[in-house]
Each structure stands twice: as C-alpha cells, then as structure tokens.
C-alpha cells in the first residue's frame, strides 16, 4: 500500500495538538483526480477547526485533518473525469470542498476534477497558494455578493491578512476608492498594495471612519457597529467569525438579516474550475500579486498555526511540501 505524510490532530486545542502521521494515499474517486501537493496555506477556518471553537458544527470524531487549498502536480485521474484540457504531470491548483472528507495538508489530495485548474506558470507553488482561497473568496464577496463598482468607497477590515490583502488589490483593480484597516506595523505595507487611505485599527474609533458603499470584513468582530458606516443602499460582506466569540458573529449576522435593510452578508465560498481559471487570468494580467509572509515545512505545521494566531502577519502563511525529505 502506498503511503503519504499528513498532519492530524486527535483533540481540539492549540497548535501543539498537530502531528505528522502516515496514511494511505487516497484513492481516485469516480470523476475525480489525485494531486501531489507542493504547497498549501493556513486559513482562518483551519484555526477554528483545530481549536474546537465551532465544535458543535465540526463534531468530535477524531483524528481530523486540515487544509483547504493546494498547488501541486496532477498525477492520476479517473477515466471518466472531465479534465478540461489538463494533462497528467501538469501543475494545477484548487481547493477541497470544506464539507467533504478530503483535506490538503498532506502529500496527496483526492478531489473532484472540477475542483482544479491550471496554475499560473509565473508563480512558485508557495506564491500561488497565497492567492487561492483569498482570490476566489474576494471575487465571490465583492463581485457576486455586493457588486462593487468603479468609484465606490470601499472599507477593508483585516487588510494585511491573507484575504484582506487580496481584497485591497481586487477593489483597486475595479477602480474603487479603498480605505483599509490594519495594525500600525503593517500600514505602509497595505498602502503599497494600493489602499488610498490606511488607518490603525487599534487606535481609530469606528465611528470616525466615515461612510462607505461597500465594507469587506475579514475580521469578524463588532459587525453591527461597522454596519452603521454603510451609506443608504450600502452593502457589507463578512468572511470571518470573531475568533474569540464566533457565536456572537453569527448572532450579529442573523440580527442584520431580520432587522436591517443594510444586511450583512456572510458566505463560505465553494469555488470550482471556472473560478480558478478566472483567478489565473487575473494573475497573468497583473491585477493581483501574491503576498507570502513565510513558509514552513510540513513538519513545522504547528509553528505555522502559531504564526497565524500571532500578530503582524502580512499576507499568507504557507506550508511547503516541494521538498519531499
């Protein structure tokens, strides 16, 4: 039986619960493909899953795996799979279905064929994977959910993070006026991404920020307070739970839906090949650039989680499997 390394955890808790184990290489499912993973990133959803803060939703069956996105090599495909012109041996990128069993923090991942597309040739696997979850999420949020337009005033919360840094670039590519919230040490970095105005989120009162047509929230806290900054007809989209009180975030979104004309839209993306192809085209046009904070080896997955839970992250924390030692 062919085996692989994968990262698991046997109970909810801190980063030190993560360990590297040996598992069978997953089988190719009907209509599916097998990808040898070169890089994956650490996302907020991974932290919530590992910590157990959404344990009522994720259950108590262990061990559990992690990992949402991946860049790697297509190594096998079901004979009936729709590869969309892809060939075995080609570099691809994609995401797993978070509601399914497959996870990408492993040397191999098995996913439906429609969950992959050709990866950009101009980026390394570690660079490319910084854009996957964020790029597809931002397109869904800013285009499909709130329809950002040229000249609109956009506020991005969590602008230095893995998703927020892409949101700033994406909104500027659509000719919006972008105000960003970030930590003091990251303000110049966010300006370089294209933000027109940057505020220190720790010292700038919410009520002093002005009025916005669109708010893109990658932070999750104080949602109802920020909703008050929306102009008439304004739209707010949130892709994060408050890490300290996720239930409060859910209640705020529910209250907005029932009682507020200016509704807070929360979503979890489910991107497919078309989304990844669109993202590849954006990269090739130079509309968005990768933002890699640092990369860890598979054996350093616990350190990668600890880094993301700390402060001062700029862009994405990545786990690299390119070297197989």
């Amino acid at each position: 039986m062919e085996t692989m390394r994968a990262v698991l955890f046997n109970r909810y808790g801190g980063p030190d619960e993560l360990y590297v184990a040996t598992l069978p290489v997953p089988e190719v499912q009907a209509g599916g493909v097998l990808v040898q993973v070169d890089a994956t990133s650490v996302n907020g959803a991974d932290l919530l899953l590992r910590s157990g803060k959404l344990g009522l939703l994720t259950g108590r069956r262990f061990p559990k795996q992690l990992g949402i996105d991946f860049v790697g090599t297509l190594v096998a495909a079901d004979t009936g799979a729709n590869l969309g012109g892809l060939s075995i041996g080609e570099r691809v990128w994609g995401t797993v279905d978070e509601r399914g069993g497959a996870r990408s923090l492993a040397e191999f991942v098995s996913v439906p064929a429609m969950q992959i597309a050709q990866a950009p040739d101009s980026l390394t696997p570690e660079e490319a994977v910084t854009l996957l979850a964020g790029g597809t999420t931002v397109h869904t949020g800013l285009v499909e959910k709130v329809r950002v337009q040229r000249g609109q005033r956009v506020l991005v919360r969590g602008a230095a993070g893995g998703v927020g840094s892409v949101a700033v670039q994406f909104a500027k590519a659509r000719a919006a006026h972008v105000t960003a919230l970030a930590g003091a040490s990251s303000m110049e970095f966010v300006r370089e991404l294209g933000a027109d105005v940057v505020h220190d989120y720790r010292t700038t009162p919410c009520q002093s920020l002005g009025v916005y047509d669109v708010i893109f929230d990658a932070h999750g806290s104080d949602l109802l307070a920020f909703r008050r900054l929306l102009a008439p007809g304004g739209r707010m989209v949130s892709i994060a739970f408050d890490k300290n009180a996720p239930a409060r975030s859910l209640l705020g979104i529910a209250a907005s839906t029932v009682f507020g004309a200016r509704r807070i839209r929360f979503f979890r993306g489910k991107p497919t090949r078309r989304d990844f192809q669109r993202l590849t085209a954006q990269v090739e046009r130079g509309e968005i650039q990768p933002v890699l904070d640092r990369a860890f080896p598979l054996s350093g997955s616990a350190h990668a989680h600890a880094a993301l839970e700390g402060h001062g992250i700029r862009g994405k924390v990545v786990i690299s499997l390119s070297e197989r030692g």
Side-chain angles (χ1 to χ4, degrees):
M1 178 187 299
E2 191 175 1
T3 61
M4 67 175 184
R5 294 178 301 158
V7 172
L8 308 177
F9 62 101
N10 291 330
R11 62 182 180 182
Y12 294 127
D16 57 351
E17 297 296 339
L18 302 181
Y19 65 95
V20 178
T22 300
L23 296 178
V25 172
E27 296 181 356
V28 178
Q29 302 299 312
V33 297
L34 183 68
V35 175
Q36 185 174 21
V37 178
D38 288 326
T40 182
S41 74
V42 184
N43 292 278
D46 294 313
L47 304 186
L48 287 172
L49 174 59
R50 189 214 70 230
S51 67
K53 290 180 178 178
L54 294 177
L56 291 177
L57 299 177
T58 55
R60 304 197 66 83
R61 294 185 63 181
F62 296 99
K64 293 185 184 296
Q65 290 183 254
L66 296 162
I68 294 171
D69 47 25
F70 57 88
V71 176
T73 303
L74 178 61
V75 295
D78 176 61
T79 55
N82 175 8
L83 297 182
L86 294 169
S87 302
I88 300 300
E90 195 164 357
R91 180 186 287 177
V92 297
W93 64 353
T95 61
V96 304
D97 184 345
E98 293 182 60
R99 292 166 292 187
R103 292 287 175 172
S104 60
L105 187 47
E107 292 183 303
F108 293 87
V109 63
S110 177
V111 295
M114 293 303 293
Q115 291 298 121
I116 63 168
Q118 183 178 11
D121 292 329
S122 59
L123 303 179
T124 68
E126 291 76 17
E127 290 171 335
V129 82
T130 67
L131 295 172
L132 260 172
T136 55
T137 297
V138 167
H139 185 276
T140 300
L142 288 181
V143 176
E144 298 179 13
K145 298 296 182 181
V146 299
R147 303 177 301 281
V148 66
Q149 302 292 323
R150 173 183 293 270
Q152 289 188 326
R153 291 177 55 82
V154 176
L155 175 66
V156 178
R157 298 186 68 204
V163 179
S165 59
V166 178
V168 170
Q169 297 181 69
F170 191 97
K172 284 305 298 180
R174 297 183 75 86
H177 182 280
V178 179
T179 299
L181 292 176
S185 63
S186 297
M187 291 174 66
E188 185 56 36
F189 160 73
V190 174
R191 288 191 187 96
E192 292 173 357
L193 293 176
D196 298 288
V197 179
V198 185
H199 295 291
D200 182 347
Y201 77 91
R202 293 187 181 90
T203 60
T204 306
C206 173
Q207 61 271 20
S208 71
L209 291 170
V211 178
Y212 298 90
D213 303 295
V214 170
I215 298 176
F216 186 93
D217 173 75
H219 197 273
S221 63
D222 302 319
L223 296 181
L224 294 180
F226 276 89
R227 189 189 63 150
R228 298 188 186 101
L229 304 182
L230 289 174
R235 294 91 64 207
M236 178 175 176
V237 63
S238 179
I239 56 95
F241 293 117
D242 184 343
K243 63 182 180 180
N244 296 315
R248 186 183 305 161
S249 296
L250 286 172
L251 288 173
I253 293 166
S256 157
T257 302
V258 174
F259 300 111
R262 288 170 287 190
R263 176 182 172 186
I264 302 170
R265 299 159 175 86
F266 179 84
F267 70 97
R268 305 296 287 178
K270 189 181 178 182
T272 61
R273 179 178 295 155
R274 183 189 66 172
D275 301 291
F276 306 134
Q277 290 172 333
R278 182 191 300 114
L279 185 60
T280 297
Q282 287 180 277
V283 172
E284 292 173 346
R285 291 194 299 266
E287 292 179 359
I288 54 175
Q289 302 290 330
V291 184
L292 172 61
D293 184 278
R294 69 194 84 168
F296 295 82
L298 187 72
S299 59
S301 295
H303 297 298
H305 272 236
L308 186 58
E309 288 185 333
H311 297 289
I313 293 297
R314 298 178 179 179
K316 276 289 202 176
V317 174
V318 167
I319 297 172
S320 175
L321 294 87
S322 295
E323 296 184 5
R324 303 285 166 180

